[in-house]
Amino acid sequence: MRYRTSAVLALACAASLITLPAEATTTAQCDTAPIRTALKSLQGIGVSGISVTVKSPNCGVRNSGVGLADLGTGRRAVGNEHSRIGSDTKTWTATVVLQLVGEGRIDLDDTVDDHLPGLVRTRLYDGRSITIRQLLQHTSGLPDYLDAPFWEDEDAHRWDHIEPLQTVRQALTLPKPDRTASGFAYSNTNYNLAGLIVTKVTGRSIGTEIEERIINRLGLCETRWAGDRTTIPKPDLRGYADRQGTLVDRTEWNTSEADASGALISDGADTTAFWTALLTGKLLAPAQLAEMKKTVSEDVANERYGLGVERHEPFPGLVLWGHSGSMSSGHKFRNAVTDDGRRAVTLLIGSESFDSDKVDSIMSKLMRDLR
């Protein structure tokens, strides 16, 4: 099926998807203590700034901030900032692929060679034995193109336009990656290949398909496909990298090479709306959503990977879904959403270095305590 988007829907934006429930108008039922505790704890993880969005049944959607969105001007983070969401883009790409599966235009057991004949054909790698399911699940055995010598000096390519096909060819020159017992080996190459397959099937880029099938359909007015754009819409969360003890602003970047594996720009409200729509069946039919949630072990405690989604169970019975993200610009992304989409936490983080384990713990406790 094709998705038609009216001007009215496009103007509705994410706010219409995540409005406060009627019961949230009764102040007594909204307990913000867990949110306040989490925000206080996030002040101690060692970052420049964090844009925070929290969704719960009784409190609705609340945007907050920790630290500074811009160290240069002293502008505080308040929760409405735009940021690069990095590999969270993989979930959006996987959603498009699974929509095409539902339409009968792609089969998860199709091989890469079925759609891109001859592209993956080396001594070590053969597209005739790599399926689309394996690409989305990171069980293809393909290496990550970012491990190629070309990327040893990322700054040298900061302003370059790089086609996804170039990244695939870079990866095919590399040795086989180390894989877990389940066959899992995280690789951005998988998703850039998946994006090329989408283009071959639809005749349009993965960015265009994401825009029509997800962004416009849901009215996500604050989400952009970056393309060659090097800036982030205002208000922006500046991105910082630690260079010899000094935080250096690296916000402006041409991220065209990330493509289907990590090119999106968004804010907390839009990404929360996307994940809510995804997990509540508004973007995928039940059969395709079930396929997305079939996971393999990442060989990390309680961590499993599906088709573009990460599954985590920090406490018995508390199953959380999400997908982290990271970009050379210094931006990081973390999120967690419950199966029913009623509780969610989204963090847009402005520094590449921070106490990751502490962030995971803070988010898990907040998700447990939200009401």
Side-chain angles (χ1 to χ4, degrees):
M1 62 184 289
R2 286 289 180 184
Y3 305 117
R4 287 173 288 183
T5 306
S6 68
V8 174
L9 177 60
L11 290 173
C13 297
S16 65
L17 297 170
I18 53 176
T19 50
L20 285 137
E23 63 266 28
T25 58
T26 304
T27 306
Q29 293 181 333
C30 173
D31 180 8
T32 62
I35 302 174
R36 287 184 278 110
T37 298
L39 290 172
K40 184 177 180 180
S41 297
L42 286 171
Q43 293 173 6
I45 68 168
V47 298
S48 53
I50 312 174
S51 187
V52 182
T53 299
V54 179
K55 177 185 178 183
S56 65
N58 293 340
C59 295
V61 176
R62 291 174 174 258
N63 295 316
S64 306
V66 172
L68 300 180
D70 188 332
L71 296 179
T73 65
R75 174 169 51 89
R76 298 195 62 79
V78 297
N80 67 341
E81 292 81 13
H82 300 88
S83 180
R84 305 188 192 282
I85 67 172
S87 286
D88 194 75
T89 303
K90 290 180 173 67
T91 312
W92 305 58
T93 295
T95 300
V96 169
V97 172
L98 286 165
Q99 287 176 348
L100 291 169
V101 170
E103 295 165 16
R105 303 172 72 183
I106 287 178
D107 191 292
L108 286 173
D109 293 322
D110 287 349
T111 68
V112 171
D113 213 66
D114 287 335
H115 298 282
L116 302 170
L119 176 58
V120 179
R121 195 77 62 83
T122 71
R123 182 177 60 85
L124 296 178
Y125 309 109
D126 190 338
R128 293 171 294 185
S129 59
I130 297 173
T131 67
I132 292 174
R133 183 191 303 276
Q134 290 172 326
L135 293 180
L136 299 184
Q137 201 173 58
H138 294 299
T139 54
S140 71
L142 290 170
D144 193 332
Y145 69 83
L146 289 175
D147 291 332
F150 181 87
W151 296 103
E152 289 178 1
D153 183 0
E154 289 183 312
D155 285 345
H157 308 290
R158 182 173 177 177
W159 311 110
D160 295 352
H161 169 83
I162 297 174
E163 290 289 333
L165 181 59
Q166 182 179 346
T167 68
V168 172
R169 288 173 171 158
Q170 289 171 347
L172 295 180
T173 67
L174 299 174
K176 289 185 176 182
D178 293 331
R179 303 171 73 178
T180 68
S182 66
F184 181 87
Y186 192 90
S187 170
N188 290 288
T189 311
N190 290 320
Y191 274 77
N192 280 3
L193 255 178
L196 290 173
I197 290 172
V198 168
T199 298
K200 186 65 178 292
V201 170
T202 66
R204 303 192 302 180
S205 71
I206 181 62
T208 299
E209 290 295 333
I210 286 175
E211 286 173 346
E212 178 173 321
R213 291 170 173 269
I214 301 175
I215 296 173
N216 293 341
R217 184 185 179 194
L218 297 180
L220 304 180
C221 300
E222 307 305 324
T223 304
R224 308 281 191 278
W225 185 259
D228 283 316
R229 177 175 181 164
T230 60
T231 58
I232 297 176
K234 306 294 184 183
D236 58 346
L237 181 70
R238 308 298 293 178
Y240 297 93
D242 190 336
R243 293 295 177 264
Q244 298 179 331
T246 301
L247 288 181
V248 179
D249 191 326
R250 292 158 65 91
T251 305
E252 282 71 36
W253 205 286
N254 186 324
T255 61
S256 54
E257 52 85 16
D259 199 60
S261 66
L264 280 171
I265 294 170
S266 191
D267 68 0
D270 270 14
T271 50
T272 299
F274 161 71
W275 277 90
T276 299
L278 176 63
L279 292 174
T280 56
K282 294 180 176 64
L283 292 172
L284 294 176
Q288 279 71 61
L289 185 57
E291 291 289 349
M292 176 176 264
K293 289 182 173 181
K294 291 180 180 178
T295 61
V296 296
S297 173
E298 297 183 34
D299 276 7
V300 178
N302 296 320
E303 298 287 347
R304 299 185 65 85
Y305 201 93
L307 304 186
V309 293
E310 296 168 337
R311 184 187 187 276
H312 181 49
E313 191 171 352
F315 302 105
L318 179 62
V319 174
L320 303 177
W321 299 93
H323 203 300
S324 58
S326 176
M327 294 298 285
S328 299
S329 58
H331 294 104
K332 301 282 189 175
F333 180 93
R334 295 289 181 87
N335 76 319
V337 190
T338 52
D339 247 323
D340 59 9
R342 300 185 71 201
R343 287 176 284 164
V345 175
T346 302
L347 305 182
L348 308 178
I349 304 172
S351 302
E352 66 176 4
S353 300
F354 55 89
D355 189 334
S356 181
D357 290 340
K358 187 172 183 178
V359 169
D360 290 343
S361 176
I362 293 168
M363 291 181 66
S364 295
K365 290 176 182 177
L366 176 56
M367 289 295 290
R368 179 194 63 189
D369 298 337
L370 282 175
R371 297 292 182 269

